[in-house]
Amino acid sequence: MDGIKQDVVKITDLIEKGGKQYVKEHLAELHPADIADIIETLNEEKKKELFNLLHTEIASKVIVEVNEHSRDQILEDINKEKLTDIVEEMSSDDAADLIADLPKEEAKDILEKLHWEDSTEVQKLLKYPEDTAGGIMQTELLSVREEMLVEDAIIQLMASSKNIGDVPNVFVVDKNRRLVGILPVRKLLIVKHEIPISEIIDRNVISVNVNEDQEEVANIFKKYDLLSLAVVDDDGRLVGRIQIDDIVDVLVEEASEDMLHMAGIYQDEKIMDPPLKSVRMRLPWLVINLATATLAASVVGLFQDTLQAMVILAMFMPIVAGMGGNAGTQALTVTIRGIALGELSFSNAKRAVLNGITIGILNGVVTGAIMALIAYYWKGNYMLGIVLGLAMMINLFIANFFGIIIPLVLKWFKIDPAVASSIFLTTLTDCIGFISFLGLATIFIKHLV
């Protein structure tokens, strides 16, 4: 980080002194990701100025690394010819992602200016939803026919390696381009050259359908420790590949999406968005929260007489509801993570629910007992301690139980569990917490006052 700060100071100083040639030479020594970090620390004018100094090949890598806000600023008034050159240097998946973010007319112009082969490949990818295997795959890959000899495959590898980047595996296809096997490059290079490819390939090949959700693709990478994965169409024909670096981006994206959804925020909201845009995205969830909070308040209203008879109960109400909310959030987070990673499904849900019930009961007993002792020594009323302890036991049991049930039910109805789970759970724990505490207090009111 200190190195980046020094680079920022040095580059800013050089730009102000007009030393653009020195800036170019310094940037040529840096990794594109480090250049992106430097760009993001600059103001909008200097971002554009620095980016325009980059060689096209480096610029094509840097534009992928910068955040969306900086990318939008850079692309705002970039020369179309330069943008076209940058896109042509990109892999097909990165090019498709960049063009998809451009205004329709500008995207159309860029596609028309691209070499016809590049344009065709990018347009193919743009047809797939961005959160599917087709949306994150790249079409650059090495495929060989199974009847080829090893030496012919090596020649093909040498001829195409510059255009397809890293090649951990060679995909083997039949005459109809259906995927039939896979061959690690290291194995290709050490076997005898006169051997047919069909004799050395692994036919137990793992692939994914082009329409598969990207989250499931990430699970496949994790399960089988893959570096790359073949993507096939409905007829089993090879159409692309997904690299591990793309899956890292998917994992970050999915984690961010779940975190934002749990907070009632849409995935496409950014920190630099105009205030009115953010308000439109957040306000509906806040209104729903307001409605659920009103429901919880109405539950409290049912016990007005009890509260009037013993006002001190109001002091302990937030503790019961808050502990239930915290316990529910713990259960909810672990459950949603389990669903996202494929660890939790309907087949093993029963065990998860039983575990949740056990955890809820044990945590409820311990925290309830602690709170009962605190209430007794604080207020000198043993019955208040018993009521408070029992209420916490009940609410933590409910919180853990429904912290697992709610996401599973939402998944059953094909609703993203991260989107609405927290709203339902918070309302439930608040209401149950108030009902259990104030209800028990009402039953034992004669022993409390």
Side-chain angles (χ1 to χ4, degrees), residues 426-442:
T426 300
T427 304
L428 190 64
T429 54
D430 283 350
C431 292
I432 296 297
F434 294 146
I435 289 173
S436 59
F437 181 50
L438 296 177
L440 288 169
T442 301

Side-chain angles (χ1 to χ4, degrees), residues 92 121 124-125 128 133-134 137-141 143 171 173 177-179 207-211 229-242:
S92 56
E121 295 300 328
K124 285 180 182 177
L125 295 181
Y128 300 109
M137 74 178 183
Q138 57 183 230
T139 55
E140 296 90 354
L141 52 80
S143 64
F171 300 110
V173 296
R177 200 167 173 74
R178 281 192 287 265
L179 182 67
S207 63
V208 64
N209 185 274
V210 71
N211 297 309
L229 178 65
V231 182
V232 298
D233 62 16
D234 292 335
D235 295 320
R237 290 190 293 264
L238 181 66
V239 293
R241 66 168 177 166
I242 298 173

Side-chain angles (χ1 to χ4, degrees), residues 48 71 74 198 205 263 292 302 337 361 363:
K48 296 176 181 178
R71 182 159 59 246
I74 291 169
S198 59
V205 60
T292 58
L302 299 174
R337 179 179 181 275
I361 292 173
N363 283 339

Side-chain angles (χ1 to χ4, degrees), residues 359-377:
I359 292 168
I361 292 173
L362 293 176
N363 283 339
V365 169
V366 175
T367 57
I370 292 172
M371 202 60 231
L373 290 173
I374 291 173
Y376 172 68
Y377 284 109

Side-chain angles (χ1 to χ4, degrees), residues 30-60:
L30 300 177
H31 190 281
D34 292 328
I35 298 174
D37 287 338
I38 293 170
I39 286 176
E40 288 169 3
T41 65
L42 304 175
N43 60 40
E44 183 174 352
E45 182 180 345
K46 282 189 171 62
K47 283 178 183 177
K48 296 176 181 178
E49 188 174 352
L50 182 59
F51 186 81
N52 287 326
L53 294 176
L54 299 175
H55 185 273
T56 303
E57 184 178 353
I58 298 176
S60 69

Side-chain angles (χ1 to χ4, degrees), residues 142 149-159 161 167-170 183-195 197 200:
L142 178 60
L149 298 179
V150 167
E151 62 177 333
D152 295 325
I154 293 175
I155 293 172
Q156 189 172 328
L157 170 65
M158 294 173 64
S161 59
V167 188
N169 298 305
V170 177
L183 179 63
V185 169
R186 65 180 182 277
K187 185 175 182 180
L188 178 69
L189 298 176
I190 62 175
V191 298
K192 294 181 180 180
H193 288 191
E194 64 272 13
I195 296 176
I197 291 292
I200 58 172

Side-chain angles (χ1 to χ4, degrees), residues 74-276:
I74 291 169
L75 296 177
E76 206 169 66
D77 55 4
I78 194 172
N79 181 285
K80 286 186 179 180
E81 282 68 27
K82 179 168 184 175
L83 181 56
T84 303
D85 292 339
I86 289 172
V87 171
E88 286 185 333
E89 290 287 338
M90 291 177 153
S91 60
S92 56
D93 56 333
D94 288 335
D97 290 341
L98 181 62
I99 290 176
D101 290 335
L102 296 174
K104 286 186 177 181
E105 287 302 317
E106 187 175 356
K108 184 179 178 182
D109 290 342
I110 297 299
L111 287 170
E112 290 175 351
K113 293 177 183 294
L114 289 176
H115 186 277
W116 70 270
E117 288 183 350
D118 294 331
S119 179
T120 301
E121 295 300 328
V122 171
Q123 289 184 65
K124 285 180 182 177
L125 295 181
L126 289 173
K127 294 178 181 178
Y128 300 109
E130 62 180 4
D131 59 351
T132 64
I136 61 175
M137 74 178 183
Q138 57 183 230
T139 55
E140 296 90 354
L141 52 80
L142 178 60
S143 64
V144 298
R145 295 275 293 273
E146 58 181 329
E147 63 267 22
M148 288 178 63
L149 298 179
V150 167
E151 62 177 333
D152 295 325
I154 293 175
I155 293 172
Q156 189 172 328
L157 170 65
M158 294 173 64
S160 58
S161 59
K162 183 179 178 181
N163 297 323
I164 59 178
D166 294 333
V167 188
N169 298 305
V170 177
F171 300 110
V172 184
V173 296
D174 63 14
K175 62 181 181 180
N176 295 314
R177 200 167 173 74
R178 281 192 287 265
L179 182 67
V180 295
I182 192 170
L183 179 63
V185 169
R186 65 180 182 277
K187 185 175 182 180
L188 178 69
L189 298 176
I190 62 175
V191 298
K192 294 181 180 180
H193 288 191
E194 64 272 13
I195 296 176
I197 291 292
S198 59
E199 293 184 10
I200 58 172
I201 64 172
D202 180 4
R203 295 186 181 274
N204 186 27
V205 60
I206 299 167
S207 63
V208 64
N209 185 274
V210 71
N211 297 309
E212 188 66 75
D213 185 86
Q214 64 177 10
E215 195 168 351
E216 181 56 33
V217 175
N219 289 334
I220 293 173
F221 265 84
K222 176 178 176 292
K223 180 177 180 180
Y224 296 103
D225 293 325
L226 301 176
L227 293 176
S228 67
L229 178 65
V231 182
V232 298
D233 62 16
D234 292 335
D235 295 320
R237 290 190 293 264
L238 181 66
V239 293
R241 66 168 177 166
I242 298 173
Q243 297 286 82
I244 186 63
D245 61 319
D246 299 312
I247 292 305
V248 172
D249 293 337
V250 169
L251 292 173
V252 172
E253 179 186 330
E254 291 290 340
S256 299
E257 179 183 347
D258 287 347
M259 181 178 68
L260 292 172
H261 281 170
M262 288 184 71
I265 299 173
Y266 286 92
Q267 181 188 4
D268 56 353
E269 183 182 347
K270 302 297 182 293
I271 189 66
M272 295 298 182
D273 283 345
L276 287 179

